[in-house]
């Protein structure tokens, strides 16, 4: 965002390297999804890249949902096969 709004290239060339260093240091990633069925998170290139890097580095990822989205997901799971397909 800062790079686009400020028209700055500072740091843009090595964002992936910086992200990898921080992820390696922390060794865990938490992903917040807004919904379980069509999360906005999966529509952004950078967040897909985050998941790719975490998988490549074998870093554990915990996905979390807001309470209402979690309830909806559990309701869908409880419907069984008919609810998933």
């Amino acid at each position: 965002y800062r790079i686009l709004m400020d028209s700055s290239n500072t740091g843009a060339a090595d964002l992936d390297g910086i992200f990898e260093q921080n992820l390696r240091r922390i060794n865990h990633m938490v992903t917040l999804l807004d919904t379980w069925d069509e999360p906005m998170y999966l529509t952004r290139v950078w967040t897909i890249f985050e998941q790719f890097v975490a998988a490549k580095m074998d870093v554990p990822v915990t996905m979390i949902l807001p309470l209402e989205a979690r309830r909806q997901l559990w309701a869908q799971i409880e419907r069984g096969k008919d609810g998933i397909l």
Side-chain angles (χ1 to χ4, degrees), residues 27-62:
N27 197 39
H28 190 95
M29 188 164 85
V30 177
T31 300
L32 172 62
L33 304 179
D34 55 337
T35 65
W36 69 270
D37 54 345
E38 291 184 28
M40 172 119 12
Y41 182 91
L42 297 179
T43 67
R44 299 174 54 217
V45 172
W46 177 259
T47 55
I48 298 296
F49 177 74
E50 290 175 342
Q51 293 299 312
F52 166 75
V53 172
K56 178 179 78 169
M57 295 174 61
D58 201 28
V59 170
V61 176
T62 300

Side-chain angles (χ1 to χ4, degrees), residues 2-85:
R2 180 187 55 81
I3 293 167
L4 291 174
M5 296 308 293
D6 295 343
S7 299
S8 168
N9 288 331
T10 306
D14 196 30
L15 285 176
D16 57 336
I18 293 168
F19 177 70
E20 285 189 24
Q21 287 174 358
N22 287 326
L23 192 55
R24 186 175 295 111
R25 180 176 51 82
I26 296 166
N27 197 39
H28 190 95
M29 188 164 85
V30 177
T31 300
L32 172 62
L33 304 179
D34 55 337
T35 65
W36 69 270
D37 54 345
E38 291 184 28
M40 172 119 12
Y41 182 91
L42 297 179
T43 67
R44 299 174 54 217
V45 172
W46 177 259
T47 55
I48 298 296
F49 177 74
E50 290 175 342
Q51 293 299 312
F52 166 75
V53 172
K56 178 179 78 169
M57 295 174 61
D58 201 28
V59 170
V61 176
T62 300
M63 294 198 178
I64 60 175
L65 291 163
L67 183 58
E68 184 55 32
R70 196 171 2 156
R71 286 181 182 150
Q72 292 172 5
L73 174 58
W74 276 114
Q76 193 74 2
I77 290 170
E78 288 174 357
R79 290 181 59 197
K81 183 179 178 183
D82 292 336
I84 301 297
L85 300 176

